């Protein structure tokens, strides 16, 4: 089987923490804590946690957090940071499509393409949402973001890169492995509309879904999602 592009890319990505999309961590953690109402008894799972920026940020606030990521190198970096600071968090290597928990958490995070939307098939995204719902206790919260389809539609994308029927973009990305060899990877990413996300979330067992804007300053309910926002966010509450 051909290695997936995201596994190849994130197996060795030393500059991940310098990427522009990870620079709003503090503001994002503040938003997450607001949704959790400052209740430190809540146990949180971060799916596709990367190097653990949200895990560590919440851990500094006293939350008990588990980070799950497909990349063993990211998990090692997260564990190293947690040990240095003595935080109440842990990290596991695992696949977002088969989340190994049942009714164990009060909150689940799937942020900044934490697996969701990077998969090769829509059914894999569906599996991620199903696993997130299984991991939550009744009335638990899911906080997630996804690439926003109106953003690309507003850009008049080239027909060969973005399919307006499937809302899927295909592109090439360069990655460097541990030996310093450069690879050209064929990548794909799925974009979503708010109505589509609401239907998916309700179908897997969430009965309240609220959308928030993902802006350059962070996450906010004060501004509705707009077509100039590359990502859209949702807070969904699991049914009883």
């Amino acid at each position: 089987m051909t290695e997936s592009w995201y596994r190849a890319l994130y197996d060795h990505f030393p500059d991940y923490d310098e990427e522009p999309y990870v620079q709003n961590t503090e503001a994002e953690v503040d938003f997450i804590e607001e949704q959790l109402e400052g209740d430190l008894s809540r146990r949180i799972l971060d799916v596709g946690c990367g190097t653990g920026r949200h895990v560590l940020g919440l851990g500094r606030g006293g939350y008990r957090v588990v980070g799950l990521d497909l990349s063993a190198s990211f998990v090692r970096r997260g564990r190293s940071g947690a040990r240095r600071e003595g935080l109440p968090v842990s990290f596991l290597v695992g696949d977002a499509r088969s989340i190994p928990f049942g009714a164990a958490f009060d909150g689940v995070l799937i942020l900044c393409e934490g697996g969701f939307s990077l998969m090769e098939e829509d059914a894999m995204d569906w599996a991620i949402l199903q696993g997130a719902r299984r991991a939550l206790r009744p009335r638990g919260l899911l906080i997630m973001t996804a690439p926003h389809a109106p953003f690309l539609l507003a850009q008049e994308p080239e027909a060969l890169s973005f399919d307006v029927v499937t809302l899927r973009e295909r592109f090439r990305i360069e990655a460097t492995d541990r030996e310093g060899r450069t690879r050209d990877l064929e990548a794909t990413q799925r974009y979503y509309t708010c109505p589509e996300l609401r239907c998916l979330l309700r179908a897997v067992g969430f009965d309240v879904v609220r959308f928030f804007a993902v802006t350059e300053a962070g996450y906010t309910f004060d501004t509705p999602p707009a077509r100039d926002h590359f990502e859209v966010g949702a807070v969904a509450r699991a049914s009883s």
Side-chain angles (χ1 to χ4, degrees), residues 13-33:
F13 198 162
D15 298 327
Y16 173 79
D17 292 329
E18 304 304 318
E19 290 292 315
Y21 51 81
V22 303
Q23 301 310 309
N24 276 335
T25 301
E26 185 175 348
E28 292 165 6
V29 168
D30 287 344
F31 177 89
I32 295 165
E33 290 191 88

Side-chain angles (χ1 to χ4, degrees), residues 162-181:
F162 184 64
D163 189 325
V164 297
V165 175
T166 63
L167 300 184
R168 184 172 290 277
E169 181 187 21
R170 299 190 183 278
F171 55 98
R172 305 197 74 84
I173 190 168
E174 190 175 276
T176 303
D177 66 19
R178 297 178 185 279
E179 285 70 46
R181 295 171 300 196

Side-chain angles (χ1 to χ4, degrees), residues 162-208:
F162 184 64
D163 189 325
V164 297
V165 175
T166 63
L167 300 184
R168 184 172 290 277
E169 181 187 21
R170 299 190 183 278
F171 55 98
R172 305 197 74 84
I173 190 168
E174 190 175 276
T176 303
D177 66 19
R178 297 178 185 279
E179 285 70 46
R181 295 171 300 196
T182 299
R183 298 174 60 185
D184 187 40
L185 305 173
E186 185 175 341
T188 182
Q189 181 160 263
R190 175 70 150 84
Y191 289 69
Y192 286 88
T193 66
C194 290
E196 183 181 21
L197 283 174
R198 179 181 286 109
C199 288
L200 288 171
L201 290 167
R202 288 181 172 171
V204 299
F206 293 92
D207 57 18
V208 177

Side-chain angles (χ1 to χ4, degrees), residues 108-159:
V108 171
L109 311 177
I110 308 176
L111 301 172
C112 195
E113 286 79 85
F116 187 84
S117 83
L118 302 183
M119 303 292 101
E120 297 89 339
E121 301 174 5
D122 288 2
M124 296 180 182
D125 279 353
W126 172 261
I128 293 172
L129 294 183
Q130 287 179 310
R133 175 61 187 89
R134 285 194 303 271
L136 281 169
R137 298 181 179 119
R139 311 312 294 163
L141 285 182
L142 169 66
I143 305 174
M144 68 172 293
T145 61
H148 195 206
F151 174 85
L152 269 195
L153 292 169
Q155 308 307 310
E156 299 184 1
E158 296 179 4

